[in-house]
Amino acid sequence: MTDIVARVLSHPTVDTHYRFRRWHRDRATLRGIRTEARVWASNLISESNPDVRKFLVICRARSGSTLLTRLLDNHPDVRFGREVLSKRVLFPTQFLHHLASKSPTSVYGAKLLSYQMVQVQKFQDPIKFLKRLQADGFFLIHLRRDTFAQTLSLMMAQSNAMFHKYDDTAGGEESGAKKLATDQLGLTHIDVEDFLRRLEWSQMLLTYEEHCLRDLPHLTLNYEADLQDAEQQQATANRIFKLMKVPPIPVS
């Protein structure tokens, strides 16, 4: 096991609720495994889409992945499966394969947050996992954001209970967007020591992502350069549409 993988797996918990001080709450649940079983059963009894083109977005929380999701979802030929590995599953590679094969569109995408790789799925060999996905036809996209801004955004979101979260677990089918958020942001007190701990952890996660993707073909996107304004958003969506071999359309 490489040094950075060992470090993130053994790192003390940061801004995360652990059950019995051992398991992340999304690991200590059977919800993901039950969904995995339903998707597997559905794959056995219904027709699959063997020609679907697939991509996976890897990033940290509050890096612009929900914005990217909404932009790409404008396209009728693209289906974005959200955070499908947010709960522990037994066979993550097969699970993603089964979800993609049930897509009614020609392109299927999903996103995977690096904390989910570390704290929920607890990949001992994340590079092997990603190589298996690539062998199965998944194209990898690394979405980055300035660490200071990303950490501050996460702290603000947690403080104000404001997140962009969508339910996409009903047998692998989209069950509609549920925005679990407040509409108002209040003043937030930032504890400096706590912020520095979170900043260090977030930088470790970015280093982990870079390590996992370093020798694998992938597209790198930066929130500030590629998603922050409307013109950048259209150009970024067009790049992905071209990679996925679908015609470009206006997005918003």
Side-chain angles (χ1 to χ4, degrees), residues 2-3 8 32 64-65 75 81 84 87 90 129 157 178 193 217 227 240-241:
T2 59
D3 179 57
V8 294
S65 60
H75 204 296
V84 295
K87 302 290 187 295
L90 298 178
F129 163 73
K178 296 181 180 177
E193 291 187 4
L227 290 172
I240 297 175
F241 294 151

Side-chain angles (χ1 to χ4, degrees), residues 27 85 104 142 154 186 191:
R27 183 172 177 81
L85 290 178
H142 186 202
L154 183 57
D191 180 274

Side-chain angles (χ1 to χ4, degrees), residues 1 3-14 16 18 22-27 58-60 85-86 88 112-127 129 201-212:
M1 189 185 304
D3 179 57
I4 184 59
V5 174
R7 283 170 57 204
V8 294
L9 287 173
S10 62
H11 195 277
T13 60
V14 179
T16 300
Y18 266 57
R22 291 190 60 189
W23 299 293
H24 189 283
R25 61 187 176 186
D26 290 331
R27 183 172 177 81
I58 298 170
C59 61
R60 297 169 294 175
L85 290 178
S86 62
R88 176 179 175 251
L112 177 59
L113 304 186
S114 47
Y115 89 84
Q116 295 164 355
M117 299 174 69
V118 173
Q119 297 174 319
V120 179
Q121 306 301 334
K122 292 187 78 70
F123 292 133
Q124 299 297 312
D125 191 343
I127 297 176
F129 163 73
W201 169 241
S202 187
Q203 185 59 46
M204 284 182 64
L205 286 178
L206 179 59
T207 302
Y208 171 85
E209 294 169 7
E210 292 170 340
H211 166 77
C212 293

Side-chain angles (χ1 to χ4, degrees), residues 79-82 166-178:
R79 173 173 179 161
F80 209 130
R82 319 291 201 252
Y166 295 89
D167 183 0
D168 185 26
T169 58
E173 298 296 328
E174 300 235 341
S175 55
K178 296 181 180 177

Side-chain angles (χ1 to χ4, degrees), residues 59-117:
C59 61
R60 297 169 294 175
R62 308 296 291 191
S63 292
S65 60
T66 299
L67 172 59
L68 182 61
T69 296
R70 288 178 151 179
L71 294 172
L72 298 180
D73 269 346
N74 280 269
H75 204 296
D77 293 332
V78 177
R79 173 173 179 161
F80 209 130
R82 319 291 201 252
E83 296 173 35
V84 295
L85 290 178
S86 62
K87 302 290 187 295
R88 176 179 175 251
V89 298
L90 298 178
F91 305 103
T93 308
Q94 294 91 325
F95 182 57
L96 281 168
H97 169 80
H98 289 153
L99 286 173
S101 69
K102 305 311 295 181
S103 176
T105 59
S106 60
V107 177
Y108 174 84
K111 64 180 178 179
L112 177 59
L113 304 186
S114 47
Y115 89 84
Q116 295 164 355
M117 299 174 69

Side-chain angles (χ1 to χ4, degrees), residues 14-15 151 155 158 194-202:
V14 179
D15 70 56
T151 304
M155 288 193 74
Q158 291 171 333
D194 184 35
F195 179 77
L196 292 176
R197 283 193 297 269
R198 293 168 182 248
L199 194 68
E200 179 188 29
W201 169 241
S202 187

Side-chain angles (χ1 to χ4, degrees), residues 50-56 93 97 100 108 130-140 243-244:
D51 300 320
V52 64
R53 295 179 291 279
K54 301 167 279 192
F55 67 93
L56 180 69
T93 308
H97 169 80
Y108 174 84
L130 295 175
K131 284 182 175 179
R132 285 177 176 174
L133 285 181
Q134 285 195 323
D136 190 40
F138 273 88
F139 185 83
L140 302 179
L243 281 170
M244 294 296 106

